[in-house]
Amino acid sequence: MSNRLVCIGDSFTEGVGDEDPSSPNGVRGWADRVAERLAANHQDFRYANLAIRGKLLGQVLTEQLEPALALNPDLVTMYAGGNDLMRPKVDIDALIDDYDVAVGRVVATGARVVLFTGVDGVEDALFRKIRGRVAIYNEHVRGIAARHGALLVDMWAMRQLRDRRLWAPDRLHLNSLGHNEIAIAVLAALGEPHKLSPAELGPRPLLSPQARRTENLQWGKEHAVPWIKRRLRGESSGDALAPKRPAMDPYA
């Protein structure tokens, strides 16, 4: 039984890409979808989401782990490291050492933990460049999950996530359809009944080389260049944001 859920992490867990003006921070996401279903399945359910977009793994652990444990959760979802893997240089082994210790701390409280692998970006030009890093990270995460008895959502194996129609225009974040797929996978890992349905998109549209180039140029102008500029300035998209659900409250 899961009555007290806390989610920590970065934009993936905050819900970026699944825009919803009525939700805190203007985004919904898979975690809110999971919380909505758990609230329907369990009496006295409470939920907190401390994730903030742009955070590195070290920042997630330093800024969110202690507040999460202070909320006395019985279920914790943890995902971080994606922003680290996109940096020019990253010590994956050092990251994983810290992650392993953090997961061990949460498990020691008696809470169940859900971990995630990274997505396989083989069909995307941006993610394909760091595919090897993600694969190494994933093997480490699988090891952490096995050592600590954590549940694992293997996004690398979710081939439907290779379809760009499940991603927001920035190509970095899932859209509402993509977040729905993650919610389904998390609920399945938890063994929770639900009525969520996978996206039925049909065959992918075929783009001509010229149309693909035009699309890529537009993406670069609207999303890639601003992202690079923020990195050069040492800024993060989440610098001015607070956690969307900082308290252990009923889901609403």
Side-chain angles (χ1 to χ4, degrees):
M1 181 177 294
S2 301
N3 286 334
R4 299 178 64 83
L5 167 64
V6 176
C7 301
I8 67 173
D10 53 25
S11 58
F12 168 71
T13 301
E14 186 187 353
V16 174
D18 184 9
E19 309 304 321
D20 181 357
S22 67
S23 294
N25 286 9
V27 293
R28 190 181 180 199
W30 65 263
D32 282 9
R33 286 173 162 79
V34 168
E36 183 177 38
R37 179 43 44 192
L38 292 178
N41 292 350
H42 302 282
Q43 292 183 347
D44 300 323
F45 175 78
R46 299 291 186 273
Y47 165 53
N49 189 327
L50 309 183
I52 295 180
R53 66 196 73 179
K55 294 297 183 181
L56 302 173
L57 188 147
Q59 293 172 318
V60 169
L61 299 183
T62 299
E63 299 169 12
Q64 299 176 22
L65 182 59
E66 293 299 336
L69 293 177
L71 294 172
N72 192 30
D74 57 25
L75 176 63
V76 179
T77 73
M78 304 174 66
Y79 177 77
N83 291 316
D84 299 82
L85 296 176
M86 295 179 67
R87 298 293 173 112
K89 295 181 180 180
V90 57
D91 186 342
I92 299 176
D93 292 328
L95 288 178
I96 290 300
D97 286 344
D98 293 338
Y99 205 18
D100 193 5
V101 171
V103 173
R105 285 196 61 201
V106 179
V107 169
T109 70
R112 286 195 296 171
V113 175
V114 180
L115 301 178
F116 302 79
T117 65
V119 174
D120 185 358
V122 63
E123 297 184 23
D124 185 275
L126 174 64
F127 285 128
R128 188 164 57 241
K129 293 180 180 180
I130 62 170
R131 192 183 186 214
R133 291 183 179 186
V134 177
I136 293 170
Y137 167 90
N138 288 350
E139 284 303 298
H140 281 303
V141 171
R142 293 187 183 103
I144 292 174
R147 281 192 297 278
H148 295 290
L151 299 173
L152 181 68
V153 174
D154 191 352
M155 295 197 292
W156 182 274
M158 296 174 66
R159 295 182 67 88
Q160 69 268 37
L161 296 182
R162 298 181 181 184
D163 192 324
R164 188 170 291 172
R165 289 174 293 179
L166 296 180
W167 293 81
D170 66 6
R171 303 183 185 178
L172 294 174
H173 301 100
L174 295 166
N175 61 20
S176 60
L177 295 176
H179 278 280
N180 185 68
E181 296 290 327
I182 304 303
I184 291 171
V186 172
L187 290 166
L190 294 172
E192 293 284 346
H194 64 86
K195 296 182 180 180
L196 301 181
S197 299
E200 296 182 6
L201 300 175
R204 302 187 198 184
L206 296 177
L207 293 179
S208 68
Q210 180 178 358
R212 188 174 293 109
R213 284 194 297 271
T214 300
E215 186 180 83
N216 288 338
L217 287 171
Q218 187 67 20
W219 168 79
K221 178 181 178 180
E222 293 184 6
H223 301 288
V225 171
W227 182 85
I228 292 171
K229 288 182 177 179
R230 286 200 304 272
R231 289 293 176 267
L232 292 175
R233 294 194 298 265
E235 298 175 356
S236 168
S237 57
D239 283 345
L241 292 178
K244 60 187 287 186
R245 298 178 183 270
M248 187 70 85
D249 291 328
Y251 179 78

